[in-house]
Amino acid sequence: MSSEPPGRRLRGLRGLRGLRKPAKKRPAGPPPATAPADSGTLEPPAESGDSIIHAALYRDGHRVSTHDTLADTFQQQRAAAGTLAWIGLHRPTPAELVTLASEFDLHPLALEDALEAHQRPKLERYGGTLFVVLRAARYLDDAEEVDFGELHVFVGRDFVITVRHGGAPDLSAVRHRMEDTPELLKRGPEAVLYAILDAVVDGYAPVVDGVQNDIDEIETEVFGGDPGVSRRIYELSREVVEFQRATRPLNGMLENLTAGFEKYAIDEELRRYLRDVADHALHTTERVDGFRQALQDILTVNATLVNQQQNAEMRALAEAGFEQNEEIKKISAWAAILFAPTLVGTIYGMNFHSMPELHWALGYPFAVVLMAMVCTGLYVVFKRRGWL
């Protein structure tokens, strides 16, 4: 959900839903005067311009003009027939989206998605406008994690509007690439859409390499007995799942896009480019699927190794306890053997006058022999039982 306050978001969405009106052809001359309040025409609210990254007009693959505000862009495009407007926004306000919807007749449902973000990748067609949602990604080396951004693209007959949420992708590089190849840019808005798709899909390659490197390190840690590897496996698994959600829908989106080549008379050269993007996207999704399976296997192996280590520790504890018990048996046996002469000696050491053995001439040899016999008997018994 959006991080904006609910009241602000709802007010913005009510404004977007008010744009349900039939498409109209924008005049080639200066912009018309504002309609009266009772005419039913929605007057676009004032724009702040804070979220406008770049707005420019192109003709035959070359830049005609660059503008700082949406109003200047609209006015110049009305005055210059046959131009393509390419407008880049970052986290636009509801007012800016209403302004764009009023000028280009964008569908309110698509505008709500662009305003709230947190959408799944998809491709929708609203009349003559194509709406594309993409999840871009970049690998952060320092944090060893994947940062995801969201990109919404509106493609019409004479305009391309990009609404970016997050740091990725770098659309300035896409714009420079297209301006450096005017023969591609002059093929129209579909060429810009191809360049954006290509940039997003190519941006997955460093992420794939970074995740692969993390998996290799995790495998080393697993077999090295690192106790903290389980947490790293879990965190990387979550990133791979998020990566799957960003890449898996691309295959269906590109299939639907290529299926409309004939219907919408897409240039043959663009068809080849888009098929190349589809191949790269398929390769990426296959590798990401492989990552998830590999992490599941690693997690299973790690659990097995942890169990083996625990079993080994329990076995070592049991062996230590057994050895301790053996030592206790020996100590107890010798204590019992030594207790017998102590008992006899203690009895005859009491020196009572009524003890006849004290005055018996054979009393001492009898006591010594008795102690020896008791000790020998106990020794034999303990020896047979394995205590000694």
Side-chain angles (χ1 to χ4, degrees):
M1 297 298 295
S2 174
S3 59
E4 295 182 354
R8 176 182 176 187
R9 186 172 70 252
L10 292 176
R11 290 196 297 271
L13 296 183
R14 283 198 294 269
L16 297 179
R17 293 191 180 99
L19 292 173
R20 297 183 183 276
K21 59 183 184 300
K24 61 181 183 296
K25 183 177 181 180
R26 289 179 282 125
T34 303
D38 59 350
S39 66
T41 303
L42 178 65
E43 179 182 358
E47 53 182 298
S48 65
D50 292 338
S51 64
I52 300 176
I53 299 176
H54 201 94
L57 298 180
Y58 298 87
R59 179 187 287 114
D60 296 329
H62 298 279
R63 185 187 301 195
V64 176
S65 59
T66 303
H67 306 279
D68 296 327
T69 65
L70 295 178
D72 292 343
T73 306
F74 302 156
Q75 182 177 2
Q76 184 64 28
Q77 188 176 25
R78 295 189 190 110
T83 56
L84 168 66
W86 186 351
I87 301 172
L89 304 175
H90 182 259
R91 300 186 186 277
T93 64
E96 290 168 333
L97 289 178
V98 170
T99 302
L100 290 168
S102 178
E103 179 68 19
F104 297 112
D105 193 46
L106 304 180
H107 198 280
L109 294 178
L111 290 174
E112 289 183 19
D113 290 344
L115 178 64
E116 294 188 6
H118 302 287
Q119 304 295 319
R120 63 175 180 83
K122 62 180 179 179
L123 183 147
E124 300 284 349
R125 183 173 289 277
Y126 299 98
T129 302
L130 194 64
F131 177 61
V132 181
V133 179
L134 300 171
R135 295 290 307 279
R138 59 179 178 175
Y139 185 79
L140 304 179
D141 291 326
D142 295 337
E144 291 188 347
E145 62 183 22
V146 182
D147 177 51
F148 294 95
E150 190 167 333
L151 179 65
H152 302 251
V153 186
F154 297 88
V155 181
R157 177 179 54 85
D158 57 355
F159 66 88
V160 175
I161 302 170
T162 59
V163 179
R164 185 160 56 89
H165 297 268
D170 182 9
L171 293 182
S172 61
V174 176
R175 189 183 293 269
H176 293 326
R177 172 195 173 189
M178 295 299 289
E179 290 179 351
D180 291 340
T181 54
E183 65 278 1
L184 179 60
L185 181 56
K186 71 180 181 180
R187 298 179 187 274
E190 292 83 4
V192 178
L193 177 60
Y194 149 74
I196 293 173
L197 287 169
D198 187 54
V200 170
V201 174
D202 286 348
Y204 292 148
V207 180
V208 169
D209 294 339
V211 173
Q212 179 65 67
N213 183 66
D214 287 345
I215 291 177
D216 294 340
E217 292 179 355
I218 286 175
E219 289 178 344
T220 303
E221 293 175 0
V222 164
F223 291 101
D226 189 339
V229 70
S230 297
R231 179 180 181 86
R232 190 176 181 186
I233 294 174
Y234 172 74
E235 293 176 349
L236 187 58
S237 297
R238 292 184 59 185
E239 292 184 356
V240 169
V241 170
E242 190 69 17
F243 201 9
Q244 276 187 314
R245 293 173 181 170
T247 58
R248 183 171 290 177
L250 282 176
N251 296 328
M253 291 169 53
L254 291 170
E255 287 179 2
N256 294 335
L257 192 61
T258 54
F261 283 166
E262 295 294 337
K263 180 178 180 180
Y264 296 99
I266 303 299
D267 183 85
E268 182 62 32
E269 189 67 15
L270 281 180
R271 299 184 188 186
R272 298 190 185 97
Y273 289 145
L274 287 172
R275 281 192 289 266
D276 181 67
V277 174
D279 291 340
H280 291 172
L282 179 61
H283 176 70
T284 299
T285 54
E286 289 176 348
R287 291 199 64 182
V288 174
D289 292 341
F291 289 160
R292 188 171 185 181
Q293 183 62 45
L295 286 172
Q296 290 177 349
D297 295 341
I298 292 174
L299 190 60
T300 302
V301 171
N302 183 62
T304 302
L305 293 176
V306 170
N307 289 334
Q308 291 179 351
Q309 183 178 3
Q310 291 177 344
N311 292 337
E313 292 175 353
M314 293 296 295
R315 185 167 54 251
L317 289 175
E319 292 176 354
F322 178 77
E323 293 177 358
Q324 187 176 15
N325 290 336
E326 293 298 317
E327 294 297 327
I328 292 175
K329 287 179 181 180
K330 292 180 181 180
I331 294 173
S332 301
W334 284 112
I337 293 173
L338 295 176
F339 177 73
T342 302
L343 177 63
V344 175
T346 302
I347 292 174
Y348 287 102
M350 292 186 293
N351 297 322
F352 289 115
H353 293 289
S354 59
M355 294 177 65
E357 291 86 354
L358 295 178
H359 304 284
W360 185 26
L362 298 177
Y364 175 75
F366 173 76
V368 173
V369 171
L370 179 60
M371 288 187 288
M373 290 177 62
V374 173
C375 291
T376 302
L378 290 175
Y379 179 83
V380 172
V381 172
F382 290 136
K383 190 67 174 179
R384 288 180 177 179
R385 293 187 176 184
W387 287 33
L388 293 174

